[in-house]
Amino acid sequence: MDKSAAPASRKLRLSEEIDGILAVLTEHPIRLRELIAAMQGRAYMLLLILISLPFCLPIPLPGLSTFFGTIIALIGLRLALRQEPWLPERMLETKLSPKTLLPVLTGARRVATSFEALLRPRWSFLVEWPLLHHLNGAMIAISGFLLLLPLPVPFSNILPAITIICLAAAMLERDGYFVILGVIFFIITVIFFGGIFLGGKEVVSWITNYFSQVPPGD
């Protein structure tokens, strides 16, 4: 048996997948189709994590937040229906500027390395059970839709983004612990946005004023 072939079968970590994308990134715009192809077999789950990570970082996403949110919502909807993830041809042909992608990917890699060691197959029935598969996809779709909302409120992006990351990571690595974590964050997200929608301007004003008074080091 050729022992040199063993490392080739090892599944790449998310940070290694991002390194591969960074390696093929050029000075020319890259199509979304090419970005997905660079991720190979695990493309759509990796894509969900990759485009959600920037929402957890202080990285400006001019013109990309709506685009990324739409992609997440579409993939989540397909997963909720237990259908193969799919994106419209026009969206796949969208060109992304390396100048924009580079800080996004670099920041995403830093976050990826901090949590990927925690992922491993366990309680896999929470991922494989058909009913929960529908539910996981629905939570991803709803969270993607919430990212589309133009709310200049602290946590209005990070909460749905963390929900998406946890659920996509769970489906990617068959990790039931991350399903539970994703559900917890989804419930927190629903309560948070419910408070904003029901409380209106008063709640938004209170949240904004509260966090504007918190010192950066706290």
Side-chain angles (χ1 to χ4, degrees), residues 66-78:
T66 301
F67 182 62
F68 283 173
T70 303
I71 291 174
I72 293 168
L74 286 174
I75 294 176
L77 182 60
R78 298 283 293 187

Side-chain angles (χ1 to χ4, degrees), residues 151-179:
L151 297 176
V153 182
F155 295 117
S156 62
N157 279 342
I158 192 171
L159 287 175
I162 292 177
T163 300
I164 296 161
I165 291 168
C166 289
L167 293 174
M171 298 174 81
L172 187 67
E173 299 292 345
R174 298 172 59 249
D175 192 334
Y177 283 19
F178 269 72
V179 171

Side-chain angles (χ1 to χ4, degrees), residues 135-152:
L135 182 61
N136 292 341
M139 288 188 289
I140 289 173
I142 293 170
S143 298
F145 171 75
L146 292 175
L147 287 176
L148 291 170
L149 301 179
L151 297 176

Side-chain angles (χ1 to χ4, degrees), residues 21-35:
I21 298 170
L22 287 168
V24 300
L25 210 58
T26 67
E27 296 179 358
H28 306 289
I30 183 172
R31 289 182 174 84
L32 180 60
R33 183 192 304 281
E34 296 169 324
L35 189 63

Side-chain angles (χ1 to χ4, degrees), residues 25-29 96-104:
L25 210 58
T26 67
E27 296 179 358
H28 306 289
L96 303 171
S97 166
K99 186 177 179 181
T100 303
L101 271 182
L102 185 58
V104 169

Side-chain angles (χ1 to χ4, degrees), residues 113-122 175 177-178 181:
T113 54
S114 67
F115 80 86
E116 64 186 0
L118 301 174
L119 286 165
R120 60 180 180 274
R122 52 193 167 180
D175 192 334
Y177 283 19
F178 269 72
L181 196 59

Side-chain angles (χ1 to χ4, degrees), residues 7-166:
S9 61
R10 183 179 70 84
K11 188 161 60 175
L12 294 177
R13 292 185 171 188
L14 176 58
S15 60
E16 294 172 328
E17 298 273 7
I18 296 174
D19 285 339
I21 298 170
L22 287 168
V24 300
L25 210 58
T26 67
E27 296 179 358
H28 306 289
I30 183 172
R31 289 182 174 84
L32 180 60
R33 183 192 304 281
E34 296 169 324
L35 189 63
I36 292 173
M39 300 177 198
Q40 301 176 8
R42 305 190 295 164
Y44 284 100
M45 290 302 105
L46 284 170
L47 182 64
L48 283 176
I49 297 172
L50 186 63
I51 64 180
S52 298
L53 283 171
F55 289 102
C56 303
L57 302 167
I59 298 175
L61 298 173
L64 287 182
S65 56
T66 301
F67 182 62
F68 283 173
T70 303
I71 291 174
I72 293 168
L74 286 174
I75 294 176
L77 182 60
R78 298 283 293 187
L79 291 172
L81 298 174
R82 285 188 68 81
Q83 297 176 348
E84 193 70 23
W86 168 90
L87 292 172
E89 190 71 18
R90 184 176 178 181
M91 188 171 283
L92 290 171
E93 288 298 318
T94 301
K95 293 182 179 180
L96 303 171
S97 166
K99 186 177 179 181
T100 303
L101 271 182
L102 185 58
V104 169
L105 291 173
T106 304
R109 190 194 186 285
R110 287 198 299 269
V111 177
T113 54
S114 67
F115 80 86
E116 64 186 0
L118 301 174
L119 286 165
R120 60 180 180 274
R122 52 193 167 180
W123 288 19
S124 299
F125 68 93
L126 291 177
V127 178
E128 297 165 354
W129 190 26
L131 180 60
L132 279 178
H133 192 99
H134 287 296
L135 182 61
N136 292 341
M139 288 188 289
I140 289 173
I142 293 170
S143 298
F145 171 75
L146 292 175
L147 287 176
L148 291 170
L149 301 179
L151 297 176
V153 182
F155 295 117
S156 62
N157 279 342
I158 192 171
L159 287 175
I162 292 177
T163 300
I164 296 161
I165 291 168
C166 289

